[in-house]
Each structure stands twice: as C-alpha cells, then as structure tokens.
C-alpha cells in the first residue's frame, strides 16, 4: 500500500502566540486574552520550546491570594503554591513541554494528547524549534474530508491491493464518512482485513 496517513503538518496552525522565559505575569494574561488561547509555548532565544504556560498555571495566583493554606494543603499542592508566588513565564511554565513533530500521524498526536490529558501540542522540528501547534479541533478536521475523496482512497489503497480484478468486483460507497463495501470475493478471510484497513483511512467514521 502506498498511501500515507494525514500528518500533523497537514492540519497544524502555523501562526502561534508565544512568550519568552522572562515574560511577566500580566503580559502572559494579556497575550492569552488577545489571542483567545488558554496556553502558550515558552521559547528560548533560539525559538526552542522549553515549556508551556497555561491558565491552570496562572490560577493559583488568584486561588491563594487571601488564603492561608493548612499543612495538608501545603504538602499536597506544593507546586501550585510555588506558582502562586511566581511572576514570570519561566517560573510558571510546565517543563519540559510535551511536543510532537510535524511528521507524526494524527493518530499518534491524538494518543499523546489523550494520555497526557492535554488539549494541544506544540509542533517542533528535530532541534526542538517551534513550527506550529496542533489542537484537538485540528485533529478532527480530517473528518471533513469529502466522501468521494475517501472512497477513491479506499478503492486505490485497499480494494485494489486486497481484491485485484475488475473494478466492479468490490463496490465502495461512502456517506457521511460511513463506508460500505459490497460485492463477492473468493477469499472471505480478507473481509475482516479490509474492514480494519478501511477504518484506518483518515476521515472514516465507521
């Protein structure tokens, strides 16, 4: 099979709001508000991603403003208490940053997000320099693929390899991302293989 899955570079946002290590607390909040984002990559002088500062990193400042946490809270939320007293991106950020490379597949990016329970990932090159950002919404863009485009890929990359022969042997129909294969085949053991390969095609709902 010669088809390649859609990659992070196909869907990522290339214009990214960022801050530097020394960015002040208020500047971070202002940038988030102006760019309507909930997290910002923190870059060094060479545009390498060294961390992420998010709304969750900023909230302890307000949460512990007028409180005197008990000993249990102090031991349980040591990191948050430290952030409550922090004033720069370098002090507030979560580091090292969880990132993904532009050549990663959408499935790989989705698994990374799910395991880490994050909504977006900075996209970096092999040297760690920022190239973009990919979000959950970006990963879902693949489901906007045209039905006929999906059908053509299945005919070319699945049917033609598993069931070589006249084009009419196995029919491919796609509606709203749902694929139906029809026809007669000699080797029925290939049917579950075809189903698995079809589900792996980007944009297929079922």
């Amino acid at each position: 099979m010669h088809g390649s899955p859609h990659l992070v570079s196909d869907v990522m946002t290339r214009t990214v709001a960022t801050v530097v290590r020394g960015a002040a607390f208020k500047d971070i909040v202002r940038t988030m508000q102006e760019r309507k984002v909930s997290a910002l990559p923190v870059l060094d002088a060479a545009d390498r991603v060294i961390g992420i500062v998010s709304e969750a990193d900023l909230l302890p400042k307000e949460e512990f403003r007028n409180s005197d946490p008990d000993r249990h809270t102090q031991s349980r939320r040591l990191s948050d208490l430290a952030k409550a007293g922090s004033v720069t991106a370098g002090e507030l950020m979560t580091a090292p940053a969880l990132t993904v490379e532009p050549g990663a597949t959408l499935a790989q990016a989705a698994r990374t997000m799910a395991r880490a329970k994050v909504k977006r990932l900075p996209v970096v090159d092999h040297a760690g320099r920022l190239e973009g950002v990919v979000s959950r919404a970006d990963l879902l863009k693949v489901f906007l693929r045209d039905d006929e485009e999906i059908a053509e890929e299945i005919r070319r990359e699945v049917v033609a390899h598993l069931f070589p022969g006249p084009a009419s042997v196995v029919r491919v129909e796609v509606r709203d991302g749902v694929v139906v294969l029809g026809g007669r085949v000699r080797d029925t053991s290939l049917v579950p293989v075809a189903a698995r390969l079809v589900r792996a095609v980007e944009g297929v709902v079922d």
Side-chain angles (χ1 to χ4, degrees), residues 56-88:
D57 296 317
L58 306 180
L59 283 175
K61 178 79 72 180
E62 184 65 24
E63 180 182 357
F64 295 109
R65 177 181 301 279
N66 297 314
S67 66
D68 186 14
D70 57 33
R71 188 171 299 175
H72 175 67
T73 301
Q74 290 180 23
S75 62
R76 186 169 53 89
R77 301 188 60 189
L78 202 59
S79 175
D80 286 342
L81 286 167
K83 289 183 178 183
S86 300
V87 295
T88 66

Side-chain angles (χ1 to χ4, degrees), residues 2 8 22 37 69 129 147 160 174:
H2 305 292
V8 166
V37 295
R129 291 185 294 266
D147 285 342
V174 183

Side-chain angles (χ1 to χ4, degrees), residues 27-37 40 55:
D27 290 335
I28 297 169
V29 175
R30 186 177 297 109
T31 302
M32 286 183 178
Q33 291 289 319
E34 290 175 350
R35 301 298 293 271
K36 295 180 172 58
V37 295
L40 298 165
E55 291 173 338

Side-chain angles (χ1 to χ4, degrees), residues 145-158 172 174:
R145 288 185 75 191
D146 182 74
D147 285 342
E148 185 51 41
E149 181 185 344
I150 295 172
E152 180 55 36
E153 181 173 339
I154 292 170
R155 294 185 190 105
R156 182 180 68 251
E157 303 297 341
V158 178
V172 180
V174 183

Side-chain angles (χ1 to χ4, degrees), residues 23 35 39 47 54 59 101 110 125 172 174 179 186:
R35 301 298 293 271
D47 288 339
S54 69
L59 283 175
E101 293 194 354
D125 65 14
V172 180
V174 183
V179 180
R186 292 181 179 179

Side-chain angles (χ1 to χ4, degrees), residues 6 29 102-103 134 139 163:
H6 287 254
V29 175
V134 64
L139 297 183
F163 312 112

